[in-house]
Amino acid sequence: DEHGDQQARSQSALEPAHAPKHTPAAHQDRKAAMLLENWQQHMRSGHGTKVATQYHFAYARHLAPFNQGNITMLEVGANQGDSLFAWAAWFENAFSIFGLRYGVKDSHMGKCHHKYCHKVRIIDGDQSNSDDLRRLTAAAFGPHWTPPPALDAAAWADGGFDVIIDDGSHVPRHILFTFKHLFPHVRPGGIYIIEDNGFSYTDQPTKVYGYAVGDGGIGRPPPGNAIEKFKQLVDIVNREECMPTLDIVVFSEEIDRSVMEVSFVSGLVIVKKKTQTEFDGLRRLRPSSSVAMTAGGSLERYKARLAREQAV
């Protein structure tokens, strides 16, 4: 009837036509909300810094490929273990969830109360100490396992992390040191995420977890500003297509050639490792560069700047 038609038209006018319920964006928002709920459930009040950061939006998107996999994960900065317990509940099919703990006694650790607690392994160590990082990887994969140079090597089945999250000291120098040591241990197709990068922008003396920082600042070079170092990877990932003659080294030749993409999300740096298929495909690119791109001397000036920074 006419009254019913009018009521239906009025109701449809109240519903935004541009926001259907089953769009990819809506699905993404639901996954982010579920992850946030997971953190709120498993992290004790006052200790779950992730709850207050809005990181769940980025994590829900970038970690989606790993949700159902039999993954091995590492979080640097285990603290009282809350986030490890939350990740074990989120990655239900994970093989192991490792945490690197520094300066926290067993008596201060939180309690895990779900059926995936047995997957969590906590190892004591300092992320700025190379011996401790070696002990970490030896505890995870055995003392004789080393990352194979080839992305398609069979040895990746025996070791390597699918996901690494650095939520440790937040000191820019430590961030860079840890990345250089641990990114080679990321499996092909894996991901490395660094949280809480605000101290790269600190240009006055202060302390974080007892460590002195303050030689950073916006636009200032590494190692005081770790963000500037990761920005350099943008040139690396563009190299195959845009400038194949670019012969700089940012972290190491091994690390640089294995980086597929680098993303910056509020407070986060996210670096993805290539698979062998991606590596082979990018090598077959037909470069779009020309002599005009470097004839003006910009490349030589850039390389000289990097050399000065690396000499620090």
Side-chain angles (χ1 to χ4, degrees):
D1 62 337
E2 183 176 348
H3 175 71
D5 291 343
Q6 182 178 0
Q7 187 177 25
R9 287 194 297 272
S10 299
Q11 180 64 30
S12 63
L14 296 175
E15 298 175 353
H18 61 280
K21 297 179 180 178
H22 302 293
T23 63
H27 174 74
Q28 188 66 43
D29 287 345
R30 284 193 297 272
K31 294 295 291 184
M34 291 169 61
L35 180 56
L36 179 60
E37 183 180 359
N38 168 279
W39 289 349
Q40 292 170 331
Q41 178 181 353
H42 296 287
M43 295 183 188
R44 292 174 293 171
S45 176
H47 294 281
T49 55
K50 285 181 175 62
V51 173
T53 56
Q54 304 297 303
Y55 288 166
H56 55 291
F57 293 115
Y59 273 126
R61 174 177 297 178
H62 288 276
L63 295 182
F66 306 95
N67 282 359
Q68 302 303 318
N70 187 22
I71 70 166
T72 298
M73 177 182 177
L74 165 67
E75 183 164 31
V76 175
N79 206 354
Q80 284 91 3
D82 295 351
S83 60
L84 300 177
F85 306 149
W87 288 125
W90 183 253
F91 294 112
E92 296 181 355
N93 297 318
F95 180 71
S96 292
I97 307 288
F98 289 91
L100 183 67
R101 180 181 69 173
Y102 182 66
V104 180
K105 298 179 179 178
D106 288 343
S107 59
H108 295 163
M109 295 299 291
K111 302 297 182 183
C112 187
H113 299 289
H114 56 68
K115 62 181 179 180
Y116 305 108
C117 300
H118 65 283
K119 299 181 180 183
V120 175
R121 291 185 58 190
I122 295 177
I123 298 165
D124 290 301
D126 179 355
Q127 72 175 107
S128 65
N129 184 298
S130 57
D131 289 336
D132 284 356
L133 295 180
R134 280 192 289 270
R135 281 193 289 269
L136 164 68
T137 55
F141 312 120
H144 303 297
W145 188 87
T146 57
L151 294 171
D152 59 351
W156 284 113
D158 301 319
F161 299 105
D162 299 283
V163 177
I164 294 181
I165 296 173
D166 182 350
D167 186 20
S169 71
H170 310 316
V171 176
R173 280 178 169 79
H174 294 178
I175 288 170
L176 296 174
F177 182 88
T178 307
F179 179 83
K180 190 169 183 177
H181 278 75
L182 291 184
F183 189 77
H185 291 78
V186 173
R187 282 176 173 154
I191 196 168
Y192 192 111
I193 302 175
I194 303 152
E195 294 188 358
D196 301 327
N197 286 282
F199 290 99
S200 281
Y201 297 95
T202 302
D203 60 3
Q204 293 186 2
T206 187
K207 287 192 174 182
V208 52
Y209 295 125
Y211 296 104
V213 295
D215 57 345
I218 190 165
R220 287 187 176 177
N225 186 328
I227 292 293
E228 291 299 316
K229 190 69 170 177
F230 286 104
K231 284 182 182 178
Q232 294 168 11
L233 287 179
V234 175
D235 297 314
I236 295 297
V237 299
N238 279 324
R239 177 163 54 185
E240 283 95 345
E241 180 179 357
C242 301
M243 192 179 289
T245 58
L246 183 64
D247 55 352
I248 66 170
V249 175
V250 175
F251 285 99
S252 71
E253 291 186 4
E254 175 193 6
I255 290 175
D256 291 359
R257 67 172 175 262
S258 70
V259 172
M260 178 63 188
E261 61 184 68
V262 55
S263 303
F264 299 89
V265 186
S266 182
L268 299 172
V269 176
I270 303 169
V271 185
K272 180 182 177 295
K273 197 167 194 174
K274 291 173 181 172
T275 64
Q276 185 66 51
T277 301
E278 291 169 335
F279 181 85
D280 292 339
L282 290 170
R283 289 184 65 186
R284 291 193 292 268
L285 279 176
R286 180 172 297 177
S288 61
S289 62
S290 66
V291 175
M293 286 186 173
T294 58
S298 61
L299 176 57
E300 295 307 314
R301 289 191 294 272
Y302 182 55
K303 289 168 66 175
R305 195 193 85 191
L306 293 184
R308 290 193 299 270
E309 292 176 0
Q310 292 169 357
V312 176

